[in-house]
Amino acid sequence: MPSIIGETHTAFIGGKNILDGVFIANEVVDGWKKAKLQGLTIKLNFEKAFDSVNWEFMFSMMSSFVAEGLNILLTRALNLGILKGVLVRANEVLISHLQFADDTILLCESDMAQVVIIKRILRCLEVLSELRINYHKSVVCSVGVDDESLHTFANLLTCKIKIIRWMGKMLSLAGRLTLIKSVLSSLPVYYLSLFKMPEGVAREFKKIKAAFLWNGNDLKRKVHLVKWLEVTKSVGQGGLGIRRIRDVNACLLLKWW
């Protein structure tokens, strides 16, 4: 497998873990912040359009197995010096992208020319493979970039900047409970697997979940019908089965031992 899958892919290869990519991405962002640099991270979403894919391209890739087409295009652009990528200063490692199963994160400097090159590479991939990128579901985030520039980059990539708030007022209590368990409790799992959550963050996280459960979209303090300690008990114990974030964090970190 290591001989046919690119090293930027942090899943499916022995000795690697899907969490490796999250850790590397965090190191890049942390490096930008400490050095007071500007940078962009772009999370791509591909359409699951099996009826539109170019099968000749797919069979060609499978027969020669030169890993993922996007990985090849980005690596070639990096080697030719067209794409700058990001230099992780601790070990002088050059990174332009990370892949997690069918998810891809692109890392680049806050530079319009670099964003244009990335856009062209993505277009080349679409023309070659007929795979389509869901730009309206893809997200661009920034470090040290002002709002006006970030909107310019997002418009060029036709990506979103942030997720729209849940319309909690439109949901029943059962619906909000389901969202908390399936979405809000799952979003930070990768980070909880790598880092110990500060007590202040854990308290804020608990407040957000509690407020959403009882108040929908309105996160202002209102009367909660049941104590949070009771809510987080298992269903068998009379609770609603919402996991306590600190317990989840501790259990996920234990696996590193």
Side-chain angles (χ1 to χ4, degrees):
M1 293 294 281
S3 65
I4 58 176
I5 295 182
E7 62 179 8
T8 58
H9 214 305
T10 56
F12 314 130
I13 300 178
K16 286 193 176 184
N17 190 306
I18 196 169
L19 292 173
D20 293 346
V22 181
F23 185 77
I24 294 169
N26 183 80
E27 287 294 299
V28 171
V29 172
D30 188 57
W32 278 337
K33 288 183 176 180
K34 288 181 178 178
K36 296 183 179 180
L37 298 175
Q38 296 182 349
L40 297 174
T41 63
I42 306 162
K43 193 270 183 186
L44 298 180
N45 181 283
F46 287 92
E47 289 184 3
K48 307 294 191 297
F50 298 104
D51 56 341
S52 67
V53 67
N54 183 327
W55 288 105
E56 289 185 8
F57 171 84
M58 185 62 69
F59 289 134
S60 173
M61 293 291 289
M62 292 295 288
S63 62
S64 56
F65 228 107
V66 285
E68 298 86 351
L70 179 58
N71 180 43
I72 295 170
L73 291 173
L74 290 170
T75 302
R76 181 66 62 84
L78 203 63
N79 292 336
L80 292 174
I82 299 172
L83 196 63
K84 292 182 180 179
V86 177
L87 197 64
V88 181
R89 301 184 184 278
N91 297 310
E92 298 293 307
V93 177
L94 194 61
I95 298 173
S96 62
H97 61 290
L98 297 166
Q99 294 172 291
F100 318 79
D102 59 345
D103 290 323
T104 299
I105 289 182
L106 306 179
L107 303 158
C108 72
E109 296 178 350
S110 174
D111 179 74
M112 183 59 70
Q114 287 292 290
V115 177
V116 169
I117 289 170
I118 287 176
K119 182 77 171 182
R120 289 173 177 171
I121 291 173
L122 296 176
R123 182 55 185 155
C124 286
L125 177 70
E126 289 184 317
V127 171
L128 285 170
S129 65
E130 295 186 20
L131 288 171
R132 296 289 178 261
I133 297 172
N134 278 327
Y135 284 105
H136 65 285
K137 289 186 178 180
S138 300
V139 180
V140 59
C141 302
S142 68
V143 174
V145 179
D146 61 86
D147 290 342
E148 184 178 352
S149 297
L150 180 58
H151 278 85
T152 302
F153 291 130
N155 289 335
L156 175 61
L157 294 165
T158 57
C159 291
K160 294 190 302 181
I161 292 177
K162 60 183 177 180
I163 300 172
I164 299 173
R165 294 177 64 190
W166 292 336
M167 295 301 294
K169 293 289 186 183
M170 307 294 291
L171 299 171
S172 64
L173 178 64
R176 295 198 296 272
L177 177 61
T178 300
L179 272 179
I180 288 173
K181 288 182 176 180
S182 61
V183 180
L184 192 52
S185 294
S186 301
L187 283 175
V189 165
Y190 279 146
Y191 299 97
L192 295 176
S193 299
L194 291 170
F195 311 106
K196 184 177 181 180
M197 179 177 280
E199 289 294 338
V201 176
R203 285 195 297 270
E204 288 300 315
F205 201 73
K206 181 187 75 173
K207 288 179 183 178
I208 291 172
K209 289 201 288 188
F212 182 73
L213 178 64
W214 300 115
N215 307 325
N217 248 7
D218 189 358
L219 298 182
K220 295 180 181 178
R221 183 168 180 80
K222 290 185 179 180
V223 176
H224 295 180
L225 302 180
V226 182
K227 289 183 178 179
W228 191 247
L229 183 62
E230 299 298 319
V231 170
T232 54
K233 288 182 178 179
S234 67
V235 176
Q237 293 176 317
L240 296 179
I242 296 176
R243 296 181 298 180
R244 298 175 193 170
I245 195 70
R246 297 299 295 162
D247 293 345
V248 173
N249 193 192
C251 292
L252 290 172
L253 290 177
L254 280 172
K255 73 177 181 302
W256 293 109
W257 283 359

